[in-house]
């Protein structure tokens, strides 16, 4: 799904002419000022992704990444509108347009990112469109995946047929449904499954989250767009395709259709849900886009009561964000989510840490970690410069719309920020860096504020966005200064920095 509205080429054309706004086709909502506890772990799709999805499957630009366990050792991830040839940021555009693609992962260690091992393909090295769409605006512009679940060896995929992308956060749908696959997502059947028609735009189950537990599959639904409340249905797991087997939660009891009997379990606004039971907390977790932030709620059961929302990622730090789909193999206190951004139009793996009662803890201590809150080309608080540095406001960043830089032809130049820490605590500093080809003396680390290094790494030329990690003990200190810089004594040299994070180890 996207951020806003976009126009497509006529039927039969494979080229998107004008981008939409936001989810699969929607533009970003207004940014808030809430801090973002989440940290970026890796890029899942697009240029610079761990699996090099552009070269491997012609997935150069995409979004969403709804994930589920296939029951056979793999995690399946369904992505929204996908482009290969001719894509350039920002947003959804280019050729080789597919309404959805599916990648498979056997990666069990998410601490260093998520890789993919195979895809549903129509030819060697090309991820296929799973469910055909007409690609005609005002009729059916696209078909977007919203959730997945497995029962036995059969895979189920919830989807929505989008008629038109409207203003930011708004779109019209024809219907929603559930497709199934008996060959691990290679081919999909939509006939014979449940369908929620939407002739007047008021159906409550156009976008879905699917969660399987205790013999049922729970269907959490919202209307088309991002302004509706969350409603709930359930179905015996063996009867997912039987539309008359669904029961709807009325607020006090489960009742067979119609779906209009469903009462809200979470108030509006909500968009792009992800729901699952979490073993570490013993609670149900729900993430979704509320306004312009990804938020988390928890509950003892699917019917609630659901906790107050806690911000996971703010659009002030991740402009044009949406999605926030939980990884099914998140374990212990670490919760991993797939987060989409509009400008790079790709998906990132992010992480937050939870307490046993599902509260967000151990947040990123670096303020403005991706430089997105900077309003000019000059660095301002909480960031500062030594020598010549500033803010790139283009499409060069690892994430989002901005990144920091240092550049000159002589002397030391850096970006830095003072961060409060707890004494005698081990911390891990991470950041994404790249440099000019002639860099021969770059540094990333922490130092005494205004003083000498505590711990740092030294690097030479870094041609593409690369993660760096520094682990240190704070000792008796209550503050440290994080920095990224270069000695520029080898001609015109530059360093770029993005997504700097400091968390207790």
């Amino acid at each position: 799904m996207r951020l806003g509205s976009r126009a497509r080429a006529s039927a039969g054309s494979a080229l998107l002419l004008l981008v939409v706004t936001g989810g699969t086709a929607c533009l970003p909502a207004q940014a808030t000022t809430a801090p973002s506890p989440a940290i970026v772990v890796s890029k899942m799709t697009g240029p610079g992704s761990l699996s090099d999805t552009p070269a491997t499957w012609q997935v150069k630009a995409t979004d969403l990444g709804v994930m589920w366990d296939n029951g056979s050792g793999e995690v399946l991830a369904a992505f929204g509108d996908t482009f290969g040839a001719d894509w350039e940021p920002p947003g959804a555009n280019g050729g080789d347009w597919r309404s959805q693609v599916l990648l498979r992962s056997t990666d069990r260690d998410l601490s260093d990112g998520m890789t993919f091992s195979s895809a549903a393909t129509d030819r060697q090295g090309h991820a296929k469109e799973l469910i055909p769409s007409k690609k005609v605006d005002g009729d059916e512009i696209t078909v977007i995946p919203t959730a997945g679940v497995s029962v036995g060896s059969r895979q189920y995929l919830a989807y929505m047929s989008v008629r038109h992308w409207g203003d930011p956060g708004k779109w019209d749908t024809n219907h929603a449904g559930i497709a199934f696959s008996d060959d691990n997502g290679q081919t999909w059947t939509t006939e014979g499954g449940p369908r929620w028609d939407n002739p007047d735009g008021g159906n409550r189950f156009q976008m879905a989250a699917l969660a399987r537990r205790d013999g049922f599959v729970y269907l959490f639904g919202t209307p088309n767009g991002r302004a509706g409340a969350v409603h709930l249905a359930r179905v015996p797991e063996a009867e997912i395709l039987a539309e008359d087997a669904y029961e709807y939660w009325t607020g006090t009891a489960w009742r067979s259709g119609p779906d209009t009997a469903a009462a809200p379990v979470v108030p509006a606004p909500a968009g792009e849900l992800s729901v699952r039971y979490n073993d570490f907390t013993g609670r149900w977790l729900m993430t979704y886009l509320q306004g312009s932030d990804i938020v988390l709620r928890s509950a003892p059961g699917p019917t609630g009561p659901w906790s107050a929302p806690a911000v996971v990622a703010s659009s002030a730090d991740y402009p044009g964000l949406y999605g926030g789909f939980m990884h099914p193999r998140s374990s212990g206190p670490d919760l991993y989510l797939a987060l989409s951004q509009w400008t790079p139009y790709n998906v990132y793996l992010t992480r937050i840490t939870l307490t046993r009662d599902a509260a967000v803890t151990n947040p990123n201590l670096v303020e403005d970690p991706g430089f997105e809150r900077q309003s000019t080309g000059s660095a301002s608080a909480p960031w500062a410069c030594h020598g010549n540095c500033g803010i790139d406001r283009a499409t060069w960043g690892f994430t989002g719309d901005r990144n920091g830089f240092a550049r000159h032809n002589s002397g030391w130049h850096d970006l830095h920020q003072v961060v409060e820490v707890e004494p005698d605590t081990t911390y891990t500093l991470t950041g994404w860096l790249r440099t000019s080809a002639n860099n021969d003396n770059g540094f990333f680390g922490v130092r005494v504020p205004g003083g000498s290094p505590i711990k740092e790494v030294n690097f030479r030329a870094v041609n593409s966005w690369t993660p760096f990690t520094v682990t240190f003990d704070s000792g008796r200190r209550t503050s440290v200064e994080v920095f990224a810089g270069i000695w520029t004594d080898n001609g015109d040299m530059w360093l770029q920095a993005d997504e700097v994070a400091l968390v207790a180890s």
Side-chain angles (χ1 to χ4, degrees):
M1 301 209 14
R2 303 327 135 237
L3 301 172
S5 63
R6 59 190 168 193
R8 298 279 191 176
S10 60
S13 171
L15 179 66
L16 177 63
L17 298 181
L18 179 64
V19 179
V20 297
T21 60
T24 286
C26 276
L27 289 175
Q30 188 68 29
T32 67
T33 58
S36 298
I39 67 169
V40 174
V41 180
S42 72
K43 195 173 185 181
M44 294 171 60
T45 63
S49 59
L50 293 182
S51 297
D52 194 5
T53 63
T56 310
W57 298 292
Q58 295 302 301
V59 177
K60 191 175 182 182
T62 191
D63 67 351
L64 300 183
V66 296
M67 295 177 283
W68 71 97
D69 194 313
N70 74 348
S72 301
E74 293 181 312
V75 169
L76 306 188
F79 297 90
D81 286 321
T82 299
F83 303 90
D86 306 320
W87 175 81
E88 294 292 341
N93 66 88
D96 194 14
W97 171 25
R98 290 145 285 171
S99 287
Q100 346 74 21
V101 298
L102 183 139
L103 305 183
R104 308 183 186 95
S105 175
T106 57
D107 196 340
R108 292 184 175 273
D109 180 7
L110 302 177
S111 63
D112 59 355
M114 182 180 181
T115 59
F116 297 101
S117 54
S118 67
T121 59
D122 51 11
R123 61 180 184 270
Q124 182 67 33
H126 187 263
K128 65 181 288 187
E129 183 173 79
L130 309 176
I131 301 172
S133 65
K134 296 179 181 179
K135 299 179 176 62
V136 177
D137 191 22
D139 183 356
E140 181 183 73
I141 189 65
T142 192
V143 173
I144 297 301
T146 62
V149 72
S150 67
V151 178
S153 60
R154 176 169 281 185
Q155 311 301 317
Y156 297 92
L157 183 67
Y159 65 90
M160 63 175 174
S161 168
V162 179
R163 182 168 60 253
H164 172 71
W165 296 112
D167 293 333
K170 299 179 180 180
W171 55 86
D172 302 321
T173 57
N174 299 305
H175 63 270
I178 295 179
F180 68 93
S181 170
D182 290 324
D183 55 8
N184 201 29
Q186 176 63 24
T187 58
W188 292 87
T189 301
T190 58
E191 298 301 319
R195 176 166 155 157
W196 291 266
D197 290 322
N198 195 34
D200 60 1
N203 184 267
R204 299 167 178 176
F205 291 89
Q206 292 301 288
M207 300 178 65
L210 298 172
R212 178 187 173 200
R213 188 163 178 82
D214 298 330
F216 289 94
V217 170
Y218 292 90
L219 168 65
F220 295 80
T222 60
N224 47 276
R226 297 186 176 127
V230 181
H231 298 78
L232 176 61
R234 73 177 184 182
V235 64
E237 62 182 33
E239 299 181 78
I240 293 178
L241 299 180
E243 190 169 329
D244 59 1
Y246 283 75
E247 298 178 313
Y248 298 88
W249 180 249
T250 66
T252 56
W254 294 102
R255 180 182 299 173
S256 297
D259 54 54
T260 52
V265 294
V266 170
E272 290 135 10
L273 298 172
S274 180
V275 183
R276 64 179 52 256
Y277 179 80
N278 180 265
D279 288 327
F280 175 75
T281 62
R283 293 176 66 84
W284 287 72
L285 304 182
M286 176 188 294
T287 55
Y288 62 92
L289 186 68
Q290 177 181 274
S292 59
D293 298 332
I294 302 295
V295 299
L296 168 73
R297 292 180 186 255
S298 71
T303 60
W306 289 90
S307 68
V311 172
V312 168
S314 168
S315 59
D317 295 313
Y318 302 99
L321 89 172
Y322 54 104
F325 300 102
M326 288 181 274
H327 194 294
R329 288 189 180 157
S330 299
S331 61
D334 294 327
L335 182 65
Y336 292 88
L337 306 99
L339 180 119
S340 299
Q341 282 191 278
W342 183 246
T343 292
Y345 196 66
N346 269 297
V347 185
Y348 298 83
L349 186 70
T350 61
R351 186 186 75 235
I352 60 171
T353 304
L354 301 179
T355 65
R356 285 287 185 180
D357 60 358
V360 179
T361 187
N362 196 22
N364 183 5
L365 299 178
V366 175
E367 296 181 51
D368 194 12
F371 305 91
E372 302 293 350
R373 299 178 189 240
Q374 302 288 308
S375 59
T376 70
S378 300
S380 60
W383 291 101
C385 292
H386 181 97
N388 184 58
C389 77
I391 307 301
D392 287 323
R393 306 177 69 195
T395 57
W396 301 334
F398 180 65
T399 66
D401 301 336
R402 296 172 174 83
N403 61 265
F405 75 85
R407 183 173 186 173
H408 210 264
N409 57 15
S410 65
W412 170 257
H413 303 266
D414 74 39
L415 287 153
H416 59 269
Q417 179 182 147
V418 176
V419 181
E420 293 184 359
V421 295
E422 294 294 326
D424 300 313
T425 301
T426 300
Y427 287 92
T428 298
L429 172 71
T430 57
W432 294 82
L433 307 174
R434 67 178 179 181
T435 72
S436 55
N438 62 337
N439 169 55
D440 59 1
N441 206 12
F443 289 87
F444 177 66
V446 292
R447 62 195 178 202
V448 175
S452 59
I454 300 168
K455 190 75 174 290
E456 62 186 5
V457 292
N458 178 226
F459 53 88
R460 297 177 69 86
V462 183
N463 295 324
S464 59
W465 285 108
T466 301
F468 285 82
T469 301
V470 174
T471 300
F472 67 97
D473 190 290
S474 59
R476 300 177 63 182
R477 304 175 186 88
T478 57
S479 65
V480 297
E481 193 168 83
V482 302
F483 70 92
I486 50 174
W487 287 100
T488 58
D489 296 322
N490 190 26
D492 182 20
M493 300 169 61
W494 53 263
L495 169 147
Q496 292 176 309
D498 209 350
E499 294 305 329
V500 182
L502 182 66
V503 296
S505 300

